[in-house]
Amino acid sequence: MPLFFLFVLVRVVRGFPGPSLASPLSLGYFLALIEKAVIPLAGQGTRMRPVGAVVPKGLLPLPGDDGSVRAVFHWILLEASSAGASAAGLVVDPVRAGMFEQYLAELDPRDRLALPRVQWIVQPAPAGLGDAVARARAFTGDDPFLLMLGDHIHSAPHDHSSCAAQVVAAFASQGPAAMIGVHEIGPGDLPRMGVCRGEALPQANLYRCTAFVEKPAPALADRDLITPGLPPGRFLAHAGLYAFTPEIHRHLTAMRPAGGEWELAAAQSSLLAAHPADYLLARVAGGVWDVGNPAGYRAAWAALGGG
């Protein structure tokens, strides 16, 4: 069997996403495979206080429809594995890192085998999402990687691959500078999310990003962030899933602030300006919940089997 097809077979057997059946195999699929995930978990949980002051958001429990209960970061690791990640860089604060380590140590060895290999990355103090991604530079190296926000949970329909796998498959098929997972939101969610304007591509649920604003005011969104084809009052917002080439690190370095938090959004805007034709969006099929706030956590619990 030629190595070309053997490689595809091995990944399919392992449950990794293959190229879209709607398009022919392309060299881009083999060059753009993602095997590393970065998961920031060092947030202070201020929106979930007082619980967030003593329990990291990533360790909050969530049920599954099979009756199991797992920590938020455990569900994220499982989704990373479903998308093909064989290694995950967990960005943690030094004070509470041991809590995550203890959780993994308590897992049944068979459950641990279902997860990517974990590498710990320390973020000494809260300094923004950009700082967390920058600290993972040695882990990601010169490889593309999947950034999965540590307070976002997804659930895809049973006839779809996981939301993360959808983003990775889109990245693999297109070979862009970035493939950002997005979902539809209404006006009430605008002040809490990064919002994009998209131009639909021929491929279903794919868009070329033409504008991006972090937490826009409703008036600005109505003026500048309308994606043609969406229902009135609906927008495309980040779903907590980002597939990047290593070029994002160059933009992060260029956008490093002299003081204050180092945010990812500025580097994203810089990358978009450098790659207006291939900074792409993938609208995911499935539910998306920000469990870093009480309303999102409650909604995720109900949707995932908690009733």
Side-chain angles (χ1 to χ4, degrees), residues 81-97:
S81 182
S82 78
S86 59
L90 305 188
V91 184
V92 294
D93 76 77
V95 175
R96 300 198 280 187

Side-chain angles (χ1 to χ4, degrees), residues 44-46 48-56 96:
Q44 296 301 295
T46 54
M48 295 291 280
R49 288 180 179 272
V51 172
V54 292
V55 179
R96 300 198 280 187

Side-chain angles (χ1 to χ4, degrees), residues 32-301:
L33 293 172
I34 289 179
E35 296 191 349
K36 295 177 181 177
V38 174
I39 306 172
L41 294 167
Q44 296 301 295
T46 54
R47 295 178 296 168
M48 295 291 280
R49 288 180 179 272
V51 172
V54 292
V55 179
K57 291 181 293 184
L59 286 174
L60 292 173
L62 276 177
D65 58 11
D66 60 354
S68 64
V69 176
R70 297 182 174 97
V72 165
F73 92 109
H74 189 166
W75 289 115
I76 296 173
L77 283 171
L78 286 170
E79 186 173 11
S81 182
S82 78
S86 59
L90 305 188
V91 184
V92 294
D93 76 77
V95 175
R96 300 198 280 187
M99 299 172 72
F100 291 98
E101 294 181 33
Q102 181 63 28
Y103 178 95
L104 292 178
E106 294 293 332
L107 290 181
D108 184 287
R110 291 169 296 181
D111 292 333
R112 185 66 185 267
L113 287 174
L115 304 181
R117 173 180 54 83
V118 167
Q119 179 168 321
W120 302 101
I121 301 167
V122 174
Q123 186 179 29
L129 181 57
D131 180 75
V133 175
R135 290 182 182 278
R137 180 69 174 94
F139 167 72
T140 60
D142 294 327
D143 300 321
F145 64 96
L146 179 66
L147 172 64
M148 307 177 71
L149 297 190
D151 55 8
H152 277 57
I153 289 291
H154 314 89
S155 180
H158 291 300
D159 58 347
H160 285 69
S161 58
S162 71
C163 293
Q166 294 171 43
V167 173
V168 168
F171 179 84
S173 70
Q174 301 298 310
M179 182 67 73
I180 312 301
V182 294
H183 65 127
E184 283 190 35
I185 64 167
D189 292 320
L190 291 171
R192 301 186 295 105
M193 298 183 177
V195 179
C196 305
R197 182 179 68 224
E199 178 182 283
L201 297 178
Q203 298 85 351
N205 297 316
L206 293 187
Y207 301 81
R208 182 175 65 86
C209 184
T210 58
F212 158 65
V213 179
E214 185 73 17
K215 302 176 181 177
L220 186 152
D222 286 335
R223 186 184 71 232
D224 297 336
L225 297 172
I226 297 294
T227 294
L230 293 188
R234 304 294 289 176
F235 303 88
L236 294 180
H238 287 169
L241 298 166
Y242 312 73
F244 287 122
T245 65
E247 185 179 347
I248 188 64
H249 288 292
R250 178 168 63 82
H251 293 271
L252 263 174
T253 300
M255 296 291 126
R256 183 170 188 168
E261 291 202 342
W262 190 357
E263 295 297 352
L264 180 65
Q268 287 181 257
S269 296
S270 177
L271 184 63
L272 172 59
H275 292 273
D278 64 341
Y279 187 105
L280 304 183
L281 312 173
R283 183 168 58 174
V284 298
V288 180
W289 299 277
D290 176 358
V291 296
N293 68 80
Y297 182 71
R298 183 171 59 250
W301 184 283

Side-chain angles (χ1 to χ4, degrees), residues 2-12 29-30 33 35:
L3 182 60
F4 179 85
F5 293 104
L6 179 61
F7 186 62
V8 177
L9 179 60
V10 169
R11 292 185 64 83
V12 171
Y29 171 71
F30 297 95
L33 293 172
E35 296 191 349

